[in-house]
Amino acid sequence: MEHNAGKHRFLRNILVRVLLFGVLIIVLRFAYVVTITGESCDRGDFCFFSLPEDINLLIPSVGTGAASASNVVRSNSVDLSGGDLYTSKDWIKAVQFYSSIFQDLITEGYLASTSKSLCVESASGQDVFTLKEIGVEDSVGIFKKASKPLVIKGEGHRIPFDNNTFDFIFSGGGAINKSPRPVAFAAEIARTLRPEGFVVVHVSVNDTYSLNSFLDLFRSFKLVKDHDIEGYDFAIPDFREIVLKKERDFVLGHGPKEGDNKCLVPAHKRDLVRLAEPLILEEPLKPWITLKRNIKKVKYLPSMADISFKNRYVYIDVGARSYGSSIGSWFKKQYPKQNHTFDVYAIEADKTFHEQYKLKKRITLLPYAAWVRNETLSFEINGDPGKKEVTEKGRGMGRIQLVKASLGGKSDGEVDEIEGFDFADWLKNTVEERDFVVMKMDVEGTEFDLIPRLFETGAICLIDEIFLECHYSRWQRCCPGQRSSKYEKTYGQCLDLFSSLRDSGVLVHQWW
């Protein structure tokens, strides 16, 4: 009997301990859901009762300038479906973040309870929800997929509202960084915002070049404030908050106006020049080796700055020769494009190379000679000393000169008449200030005519980066101790050309 009684007491103790352990687990789970995560207990996970439908969920302030009464998010204030989303930890954290942001904007006078407000690219609508909860009732969001009642269908580059509709527009989460059409994005904001209205953008900018490129998108706006802010989640990085005020109607410019030829390279471009690789100050004895090796030291602009806020990406090869000469062999393979697609213009007067460009996509061939005005020119092909130029691969470089000058002279090479065009004028009519423009120039000495013309017309300010081969009477590889007789300029004159470009704030590299 004692043996059986002892056995029963042992089993009873085991059962009591199991029950106590189970109760402890349930209590801990309940405490975690309600206290630690800040969630209500209507999720069905280890909860035994639901909170009343009209209960207020208190969300403490995480920033300055927010009154405690304004941090109460009422679950019944907006008719929302999908309750799990609106009581989730991520939702509440986002609402806390936006509540702090918007309360500060109200305190500073950029947002008011009467402001008709739009949140652009609002995927889940937390920002819209927060605006309504702090008293900005007339608020709506847009996203490519609607999430009613907070968010309707629309996109940043195609906002479905009339001109001058809103008093306040907000774009969070670095949406404009992700937009494939930042210029259209900014233009739509400018179109739908009323004069004197404010736009607040959370954008990722890490350098002065990208910041100024961003501000160039909003030329009808005045910069009011910008400062760095911390994101609210590891998936939401730190941003710069930029506040802009609309001053006039938005007009999309198209380069410098005719007659307005002067341009001043801005400071943020000059900063990049100071970071560039140094120029080779001493004339190289073996330029075919020194200059070619120097290419490896080049600091490309996209490796120093973010180029995301540009309207279009353009590469212009002046003196392109064959496709594989520089476009296919260098630009396509080596130039850091930051995943952007470039429109390519190949300017080549030598008809020998024209046929191969016909089948190349996104490449526009200009079968003329880049020059300082529109006129007929003499185009002469001369081979290097010691070489017999008979094939396309080994074809000599072409030089241009006025037809009148060539008629009285003698030439040992092939001479054709070609059409020259005003390169600077073409550039001003082809690209815009908001485009990112890279240029390579190899024009057999004509650079001493073209570069001054670019400055004279102001077209130089349209170019972000130049790769320039300067031609001078250099030492010859074929003939030790002899200089080339093809060019009259000296290395010192070339160095002066490079220095003058950099002193003017133009990012130029010595090319080969």
Side-chain angles (χ1 to χ4, degrees):
M1 293 295 291
E2 292 179 0
H3 175 73
N4 290 335
K7 184 174 182 180
H8 287 306
R9 282 195 299 272
F10 176 76
L11 292 175
R12 185 174 59 190
N13 290 337
I14 292 295
L15 289 174
V16 169
R17 291 179 181 181
V18 169
L19 288 173
L20 289 174
F21 181 75
V23 171
L24 179 62
I25 291 296
I26 292 173
V27 170
L28 289 175
R29 174 61 179 169
F30 179 83
Y32 172 79
V33 171
V34 176
T35 305
I36 298 179
T37 68
E39 297 178 0
S40 62
C41 202
D42 60 359
R43 296 173 61 82
D45 42 4
F46 292 92
C47 293
F48 297 102
F49 60 88
S50 297
L51 297 176
E53 291 184 359
D54 60 348
I55 194 169
N56 289 337
L57 180 61
L58 183 64
I59 300 179
S61 173
V62 294
T64 61
S68 59
S70 298
N71 293 313
V72 177
V73 176
R74 299 176 293 279
S75 60
N76 65 333
S77 61
V78 182
D79 183 16
L80 301 174
S81 59
D84 286 353
L85 170 64
Y86 302 107
T87 57
S88 69
K89 181 179 179 181
D90 289 341
W91 176 273
I92 293 172
K93 188 182 293 186
V95 171
Q96 288 179 327
F97 173 76
Y98 288 124
S99 178
S100 175
I101 293 296
F102 293 143
Q103 289 286 359
D104 286 344
L105 292 172
I106 288 176
T107 300
E108 294 165 352
Y110 309 131
L111 175 64
S113 60
T114 57
S115 298
K116 185 176 180 64
S117 303
L118 171 69
C119 295
V120 182
E121 299 293 347
S122 178
S124 300
Q126 295 105 323
D127 43 6
V128 184
F129 180 83
T130 306
L131 283 171
K132 289 179 176 292
E133 290 301 322
I134 65 174
V136 188
E137 295 289 345
D138 195 356
S139 302
V140 68
I142 61 168
F143 192 64
K144 59 184 177 182
K145 184 178 180 181
S147 182
K148 294 182 178 180
L150 299 175
V151 180
I152 66 172
K153 187 174 182 180
E155 295 182 78
H157 61 271
R158 191 183 295 113
I159 297 178
F161 293 98
D162 294 334
N163 297 351
N164 303 323
T165 298
F166 298 98
D167 304 297
F168 176 84
I169 295 180
F170 175 74
S171 174
I176 196 168
N177 289 95
K178 306 168 188 174
S179 173
R181 306 173 187 176
V183 171
F185 193 111
E188 282 292 271
I189 289 177
R191 180 184 65 81
T192 54
L193 187 68
R194 293 171 182 165
E196 306 299 317
F198 292 95
V199 56
V200 177
V201 181
H202 289 177
V203 62
S204 177
V205 289
N206 300 315
D207 56 85
T208 56
Y209 183 91
S210 59
L211 174 60
N212 282 274
S213 296
F214 170 81
L215 295 177
D216 279 345
L217 300 176
F218 294 90
R219 293 197 172 182
S220 56
F221 287 71
K222 176 184 177 182
L223 175 62
V224 176
K225 175 185 176 182
D226 74 297
H227 66 116
D228 294 328
I229 59 172
E230 293 183 2
Y232 63 86
D233 191 88
F234 71 90
I236 307 296
D238 296 344
F239 293 109
R240 181 169 294 185
E241 181 174 83
I242 298 178
V243 182
L244 302 166
K245 182 179 181 180
K246 182 178 177 181
E247 295 189 315
R248 58 186 185 277
D249 288 336
F250 178 77
V251 178
L252 184 63
H254 188 84
K257 296 180 180 179
E258 185 177 355
D260 185 15
N261 296 330
K262 294 182 179 180
C263 74
L264 180 64
V265 178
H268 63 275
K269 287 189 176 183
R270 292 174 179 271
D271 290 340
L272 295 177
V273 172
R274 286 191 282 268
L275 297 174
E277 75 284 354
L279 297 173
I280 302 173
L281 300 180
E282 294 187 10
E283 179 184 354
L285 296 177
K286 296 181 179 180
W288 56 91
I289 296 178
T290 304
L291 293 175
K292 192 171 184 178
R293 286 178 178 174
N294 189 59
I295 294 176
K296 298 179 181 179
K297 300 178 182 179
V298 167
K299 293 184 178 180
Y300 299 99
L301 192 157
S303 68
M304 298 187 287
D306 183 4
I307 62 173
S308 298
F309 301 114
K310 292 296 183 178
N311 178 46
R312 194 163 61 113
Y313 301 87
V314 179
Y315 172 61
I316 304 171
D317 196 325
V318 189
R321 288 175 63 81
S322 66
Y323 171 79
S325 177
S326 57
I327 297 176
S329 63
W330 167 68
F331 183 77
K332 291 283 188 180
K333 296 180 180 179
Q334 299 181 39
Y335 189 81
K337 305 174 188 64
Q338 294 186 6
N339 295 320
H340 297 294
T341 300
F342 280 69
D343 294 323
V344 178
Y345 291 90
I347 300 175
E348 177 52 54
D350 193 340
K351 60 185 179 182
T352 303
F353 303 109
H354 293 172
E355 188 68 26
Q356 60 187 272
Y357 285 102
K358 292 183 178 180
L359 301 178
K360 301 298 180 182
K361 296 181 179 179
R362 296 189 73 93
I363 297 181
T364 301
L365 172 67
L366 278 71
Y368 313 106
W371 187 231
V372 297
R373 52 187 170 270
N374 300 323
E375 65 179 336
T376 302
L377 300 168
S378 173
F379 186 73
E380 178 183 2
I381 298 292
N382 278 322
D384 290 329
K387 290 186 178 180
K388 187 176 182 181
E389 311 290 355
V390 293
T391 65
E392 178 185 299
K393 184 177 180 181
R395 186 172 177 79
M397 302 295 289
R399 290 188 295 169
I400 62 175
Q401 55 183 315
L402 298 178
V403 172
K404 292 181 179 180
S406 65
L407 292 177
K410 296 181 179 180
S411 173
D412 296 327
E414 174 187 340
V415 179
D416 291 316
E417 284 190 6
I418 58 169
E419 293 302 315
F421 71 102
D422 189 332
F423 174 68
D425 185 64
W426 170 85
L427 187 66
K428 292 173 67 174
N429 287 283
T430 302
V431 301
E432 302 176 3
E433 293 180 25
R434 293 179 178 85
D435 295 336
F436 181 76
V437 180
V438 184
M439 182 179 77
K440 189 226 78 178
M441 181 177 287
D442 180 7
V443 288
E444 298 299 298
T446 313
E447 61 268 16
F448 286 97
D449 299 292
L450 294 179
I451 296 297
R453 174 67 175 165
L454 291 173
F455 276 100
E456 175 189 339
T457 59
I460 193 70
C461 285
L462 297 171
I463 305 171
D464 292 90
E465 189 169 22
I466 302 177
F467 299 87
L468 175 63
E469 180 173 350
C470 187
H471 298 81
Y472 64 98
S473 181
R474 63 182 64 175
W475 297 111
Q476 294 298 289
R477 186 175 185 177
C478 67
C479 316
Q482 293 185 23
R483 290 184 179 273
S484 171
S485 59
K486 292 170 63 176
Y487 311 106
E488 298 179 353
K489 302 295 184 181
T490 65
Y491 184 79
Q493 289 173 298
C494 280
L495 193 60
D496 289 341
L497 183 61
F498 284 110
S499 297
S500 65
L501 282 164
R502 287 197 174 184
D503 290 343
S504 300
V506 180
L507 182 59
V508 63
H509 309 282
Q510 288 173 295
W511 208 239
W512 171 253

